[in-house]
Each structure stands twice: as structure tokens, then as C-alpha cells.
């Protein structure tokens, strides 16, 4: 029995004259995702990518599992391939599904005729295949409204495909379709999930993390790198730039007004991230900020932060509440790591009474009490870069 994985995509089909570029990009991402999983054949036709595993059922299952993490893929199906001859479709449906159908009492057949030249309509295909299955499975009954199992028949280019399950995947756009951006990655809940959301739009990610040793421990850094590897399941291998931030935080604490400590710190973070982003051909910064979530995320405070850089800042959670963000964190399996009790640099030297309605000019005055350019240069020069691969 020849099994084929049908990989469907959605938004890409709307890309007009650029469609082929996006299809090729998605194919390349799929090949990268399943590299090392054995031999296979891959081809494209219509709005479907066909993958034929050549090393057995276990390989097919591994490929199916990995495809669930590839942006741009809308659904996947493990199907049985046969000719488009109706008699063979009927016979193969019985042959392929005999063991499966024994487990159920009700069923229906749905058909899709992608080949519009095929002589039978979709309802006719369903009628003839369903009737044949009933003849050979007398324990079954047809239930078109609420069947226990649905048998799908797809008549496509050269072949027909029979299957019983379509697995929903992530959708979105293939990684690399919309450039590259720099994620400000803390050890919290918001930033890893924000990286996932932007990667879903086809943006390749790098990350910058601000490390304040010894006020934050090596375990805190390890936690962040683990979060990066979780995000990399979806975004692909990711450079993580680890910035030494202790000296900057100490100078801010010693020389700036207490109410501006967090805001000046955020401005330094944005400026350093922008410098590293430009050095690595990133076109935007990504943060997990949400309006009003903390004192540094009021509209006035965000305006102070934005003023520090010229680069586009992407904030996918700006209008979400914490519960919505937590749901996304749980969805991508980052939540349990994010809540491990290791402090990051944002939680040290926290002011007791932060300014919630700051004036840009006042915060700039506070930041200019420091040798800003020297501190930024030293931080960038001291940055350590590691490449995190997907944790599967």
C-alpha cells in the first residue's frame, strides 16, 4: 500500500504572480524540517505538496509530527494512493480501511474532485464509494450529520487519495517570507510567545537577551536559551545574542532618578538591540509588551521606549490581556519553562514608585547623566552569540 502525505497551504494561493516564490520557500522549509528523517520524494501540484516516504510507516509518522511545526502548512493528511478508476477507488477503500472501519458503527464519505475533468461529481463519488463500503462492512450505518468516522476521497491530478483524517496545522506564512527581526527575549511568559506570533507571519528570528550576572544566575541564562530552543521549533535555528548588562544597570541605579530606572533601562535595551539588529540585517525589533500590563507599558512609557530607536517595533500582544498571552505560551509549550523561578534583568533594581506618565524629555535628561554611547558600545562588544536549534 503506497502512502502519501498531503501537505496543504492556504494564504499562499492568494499571492498571484509571486505564488511560486512562496511555494518554493515553503518546500525548502519543509525539506529543512524533515532533513535526516530518511528517504522521501517531494513534489508540488495545485495547492498541495506531496511527500512520499520511502522508509516505512515509522518514517511517515515522524515526518507528520514534524510538519505540525512548519509555518505555512494549513493541514496534513496521511493518505493511500490509487488510480482514478472508480472500481479501483472502491476496492482500495475497502482494502485500506477494512481494519479501521471495524472500530466504528457509523460513517460517511466525503469527496473532493480537484480534477474537474473527472466524469463523476463529488456527490456521485461519495455515493458509489459509500455504497461499496457498506456492502463489505455490513455492521456500518451511514450518518451524514454526525458520523463516528469520515472517509475522504480526493481525486486530484494523476491519482486519487483515500484517507480518514485531516490534521490542522499552524497556517501562517513560511519562515523567510517577510525578512528577519530581532526578538528581545527575557525569561518571562510574554517575549517567547511574541516571537512565535511574529514568526508565524514568515519572519525569521534572532534574539537578544540582557544578562545581569551575578544578580541573575547561570540558571536564568540557561532558562532563556531553553525558551529560545522552544521557539526555534517553529522559527528554525536561532541566533541568541547574550548582552552583558550588569554595568549599565549599576550605573542607572547609582546616577538616575529612581522613578526613571526602568524607563532608562528599557531605552538602553532598545538601543543595544537596535545596534545588534542592524549588524545582523534585521529590519525590526519584537517585544512582548502589552498596554497597561506594568508601569513601563503605559502609553506614555511605550512612547518613551519607542523614542529611543528609529527601527520598527513589533508588539503582537499590545492589545491582549495576560490570560490571552498565557494561552499562547501554553499552546507552544513554553509556559512551564517561562514560570521557572529564575530572575531576569528586568526584575532586579526595580523602583518602588516607577513613573507611569513620564515625559520623554525628562527621561532623556536622566539617561544623559550616563555616558550612553560608551555603555552601548561596551555592551555590544561584550555580547556572546550562540545558535539555538529546535528542541523537538
Amino acid at each position: 500500500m503506497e502512502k502519501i502525505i498531503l501537505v496543504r497551504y492556504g494564504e499562499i494561493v492568494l499571492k498571484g504572480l509571486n505564488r511560486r516564490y512562496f511555494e518554493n520557500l515553503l518546500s525548502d522549509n519543509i525539506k529543512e524540517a524533515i532533513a535526516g528523517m530518511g528517504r522521501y520524494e517531494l513534489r508540488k501540484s495545485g495547492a498541495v505538496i506531496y511527500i512520499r516516504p520511502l522508509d516505512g510507516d515509522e518514517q511517515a509518522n515522524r515526518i507528520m509530527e514534524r510538519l505540525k511545526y512548519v509555518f505555512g502548512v494549513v493541514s496534513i493528511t496521511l493518505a493511500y494512493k490509487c488510480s482514478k478508476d472508480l472500481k479501483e477507488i472502491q476496492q482500495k477503500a475497502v482494502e485500506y480501511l477494512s481494519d479501521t472501519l471495524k472500530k466504528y458503527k457509523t460513517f460517511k464519505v466525503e469527496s473532493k474532485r480537484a480534477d474537474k475533468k473527472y466524469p463523476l461529481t463529488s456527490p456521485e463519488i461519495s455515493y458509489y464509494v459509500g455504497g461499496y463500503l457498506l456492502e463489505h462492512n455490513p455492521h456500518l450505518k451511514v450518518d451524514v450529520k454526525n458520523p463516528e468516522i469520515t472517509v475522504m476521497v480526493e481525486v486530484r491530478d494523476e491519482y486519487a487519495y483515500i484517507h480518514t483524517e485531516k490534521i490542522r496545522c499552524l497556517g501562517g506564512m513560511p519562515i523567510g517570507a517577510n525578512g528577519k527581526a530581532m526578538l528581545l527575549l527575557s525569561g518571562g511568559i510574554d517575549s517567547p510567545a511574541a516571537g512565535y506570533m511574529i514568526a508565524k507571519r514568515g519572519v525569521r528570528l534572532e534574539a537578544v537577551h540582557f544578562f545581569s550576572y551575578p544578580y541573575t544566575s547561570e540558571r536564568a541564562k540557561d532558562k532563556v536559551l531553553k525558551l529560545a530552543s522552544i521557539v526555534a521549533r517553529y522559527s528554525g535555528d536561532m541566533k541568541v545574542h547574550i548582552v552583558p548588562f550588569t554595568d549599565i544597570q549599576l550605573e542607572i541605579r547609582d546616577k538616575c532618578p529612581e522613578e526613571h530606572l526602568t524607563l532608562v533601562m528599557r531605552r538602553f535595551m532598545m538601543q543595544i538591540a537596535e545596534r545588534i539588529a542592524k549588524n545582523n540585517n534585521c529590519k525590526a525589533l519584537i517585544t512582548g509588551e502589552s498596554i497597561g500590563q506594568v508601569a513601563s507599558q503605559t502609553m506614555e512609557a511605550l512612547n518613551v521606549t519607542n523614542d529611543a530607536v528609529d527601527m520598527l517595533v513589533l508588539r503582537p500582544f499590545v492589545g491582549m490581556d495576560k490570560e490571552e498571552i498565557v494561552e499562547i505560551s501554553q499552546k507552544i509549550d513554553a509556559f512551564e519553562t517561562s514560570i521557572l523561578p529564575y530572575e531576569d534583568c528586568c526584575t532586579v533594581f526595580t523602583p518602588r514608585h516607577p513613573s507611569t506618565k513620564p515625559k520623554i524629555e525628562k527621561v532623556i535628561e536622566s539617561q544623559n547623566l550616563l555616558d550612553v554611547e560608551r555603555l552601548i558600545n561596551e555592551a555590544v562588544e561584550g555580547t556572546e552569540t550562540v545558535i539555538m536549534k529546535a528542541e523537538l
Side-chain angles (χ1 to χ4, degrees):
M1 295 186 293
E2 185 172 344
K3 294 182 180 180
I4 302 289
I5 299 171
L6 309 182
V7 183
R8 302 174 185 83
Y9 45 91
E11 191 173 346
I12 290 174
V13 302
L14 305 176
K15 294 302 179 181
L17 297 177
N18 294 322
R19 174 173 167 175
R20 181 170 294 181
Y21 164 76
F22 291 101
E23 289 176 332
N24 290 339
L25 184 59
L26 178 58
S27 294
D28 290 342
N29 289 352
I30 288 172
K31 291 174 185 177
E32 182 179 342
I34 65 176
M37 291 189 176
R39 300 172 304 138
Y40 64 89
E41 295 175 352
L42 183 148
R43 68 182 180 90
K44 302 188 297 289
S45 180
V48 176
I49 295 172
Y50 300 83
I51 301 175
R52 180 190 173 204
L54 300 176
D55 293 329
D57 290 351
E58 184 177 343
Q59 179 205 19
N61 292 334
R62 290 201 311 271
I63 291 175
M64 290 279 286
E65 187 62 30
R66 187 66 188 95
L67 290 173
K68 294 177 184 178
Y69 295 93
V70 177
F71 286 128
V73 175
V74 171
S75 69
I76 52 176
T77 296
L78 185 60
Y80 300 101
K81 185 177 87 171
C82 64
S83 78
K84 296 193 290 186
D85 177 76
L86 177 61
K87 287 186 178 180
E88 182 170 348
I89 293 173
Q90 291 173 315
Q91 292 168 356
K92 293 299 183 183
V94 170
E95 178 184 347
Y96 295 160
L97 303 177
S98 58
D99 290 339
T100 300
L101 293 177
K102 289 176 182 177
K103 305 171 187 176
Y104 301 96
K105 295 180 180 179
T106 62
F107 84 113
K108 73 172 180 178
V109 177
E110 289 185 358
S111 301
K112 180 174 182 178
R113 187 185 61 157
D115 176 5
K116 300 306 179 185
K117 296 180 181 179
Y118 193 70
L120 297 177
T121 65
S122 295
E124 288 172 337
I125 297 169
S126 297
Y127 172 79
Y128 288 117
V129 174
Y132 198 80
L133 286 171
L134 274 176
E135 288 179 24
H136 291 78
N137 295 274
H139 70 285
L140 285 175
K141 291 184 179 180
V142 174
D143 186 343
V144 296
K145 292 185 177 180
N146 190 30
E148 293 179 316
I149 187 170
T150 299
V151 175
M152 294 292 303
V153 179
E154 301 188 33
V155 179
R156 293 191 168 272
D157 47 13
E158 300 177 24
Y159 300 98
Y161 301 90
I162 303 163
H163 59 90
T164 59
E165 184 180 24
K166 181 186 289 187
I167 300 171
R168 295 291 302 175
C169 295
L170 297 173
M173 295 294 293
I175 294 295
N178 285 306
K180 185 166 62 171
M182 185 67 68
L183 170 66
L184 278 74
L185 182 62
S186 73
I189 294 169
D190 303 343
S191 59
Y196 164 87
M197 292 296 291
I198 296 300
K200 186 174 182 178
R201 298 309 306 153
V203 177
R204 193 171 295 280
L205 300 181
E206 293 194 17
V208 59
H209 174 66
F210 296 91
F211 185 50
S212 295
Y213 184 82
Y215 297 96
T216 54
S217 67
E218 287 291 333
R219 289 186 300 179
K221 183 170 74 171
D222 292 342
K223 169 186 170 181
V224 169
L225 293 177
K226 180 176 175 61
L227 287 170
S229 71
I230 292 172
V231 177
R233 294 176 190 167
Y234 308 92
S235 67
D237 295 353
M238 184 193 308
K239 285 184 182 178
V240 181
H241 307 276
I242 302 170
V243 178
F245 205 55
T246 308
D247 290 347
I248 292 176
Q249 286 195 287
L250 290 173
E251 290 217 25
I252 293 171
R253 182 196 65 181
D254 293 342
K255 298 180 181 179
C256 296
E258 185 189 16
E259 68 270 18
H260 290 164
L261 293 185
T262 300
L263 292 165
V264 172
M265 180 190 73
R266 292 295 297 171
R267 285 178 63 87
F268 268 106
M269 286 180 168
M270 297 294 280
Q271 289 166 326
I272 293 168
E274 181 183 45
R275 188 80 59 87
I276 296 172
K278 289 180 176 178
N279 291 343
N280 289 274
N281 299 313
C282 296
K283 305 303 180 186
L285 303 177
I286 306 166
T287 79
E289 293 164 311
S290 169
I291 290 178
Q293 185 175 143
V294 294
S296 63
Q297 295 175 24
T298 63
M299 285 226 279
E300 293 87 350
L302 290 175
N303 196 31
V304 168
T305 303
N306 281 353
D307 176 74
V309 296
D310 297 322
M311 185 171 280
L312 174 66
V313 181
L314 302 174
R315 295 183 172 94
F317 296 148
V318 71
M320 291 190 181
D321 61 33
K322 195 68 176 184
E323 184 176 344
E324 292 172 302
I325 299 170
V326 165
E327 287 178 2
I328 295 170
S329 177
Q330 291 171 329
K331 174 183 174 181
I332 66 172
D333 295 325
F335 181 74
E336 294 302 324
T337 301
S338 291
I339 62 174
L340 291 174
Y342 308 133
E343 290 185 321
D344 61 33
C345 69
C346 294
T347 58
V348 298
F349 310 133
T350 302
R352 290 170 296 176
H353 303 291
S355 176
T356 58
K357 295 186 177 181
K359 303 292 185 183
I360 290 177
E361 59 273 14
K362 293 295 185 181
V363 179
I364 292 174
E365 285 179 14
S366 295
Q367 186 177 15
N368 285 339
L369 295 171
L370 311 176
D371 188 344
V372 175
E373 192 62 23
R374 175 184 64 81
L375 290 170
I376 290 175
N377 286 336
E378 289 177 355
V380 172
E381 289 170 6
T383 294
E384 170 195 4
T385 298
V386 296
I387 297 177
M388 296 307 299
K389 295 186 176 294
E391 180 182 276
L392 299 174

